[in-house]
Amino acid sequence: MPEYVELVCDEMPLSVVVLDPGPRAVEVTKVLRRLTGLSLWHSKTLISSVPATVLEDLPEDAAATAATALREAGALVEVRRQPMSPAQS
């Protein structure tokens, strides 16, 4: 009789994607700078080229915290699961 095995991943990496900076782009830029450590110029450039993945390879709690901070600043944000690469599987 064949045996079936189901693989369960503990935690898939997540990305935080800014879809729209909203009406308070300056506030969103400041929050992004605080979260990523990027310079103000790089943060502004990233926000002006939306949709933009601003953080990658985060655990679920860190992604949720970052998304909440960006939403509170006025941005439209999405948390996406990253597909696993063949090297990770």
Side-chain angles (χ1 to χ4, degrees):
M1 198 163 198
E3 289 185 33
Y4 295 95
V5 177
E6 181 178 341
L7 297 176
V8 178
C9 295
D10 289 344
E11 194 170 309
M12 290 183 68
L14 300 171
S15 296
V16 178
V17 180
V18 175
L19 302 174
D20 183 19
R24 301 183 313 179
V26 173
E27 293 300 318
V28 174
T29 302
K30 289 178 183 178
V31 171
L32 181 63
R33 181 178 184 205
R34 181 173 47 85
L35 291 172
T36 62
L38 293 172
S39 69
L40 188 57
W41 182 82
H42 282 101
S43 298
K44 183 180 177 200
T45 302
L46 193 59
I47 289 297
S48 65
S49 63
V50 291
T53 302
V54 295
L55 296 165
E56 294 181 319
D57 296 327
L58 296 175
E60 189 171 349
D61 57 340
T65 301
T68 300
L70 289 163
R71 286 183 186 120
E72 287 175 354
L76 178 61
V77 178
E78 186 176 86
V79 177
R80 297 181 181 167
R81 294 212 180 273
Q82 294 179 348
M84 291 187 68
S85 67
Q88 293 175 335
S89 54

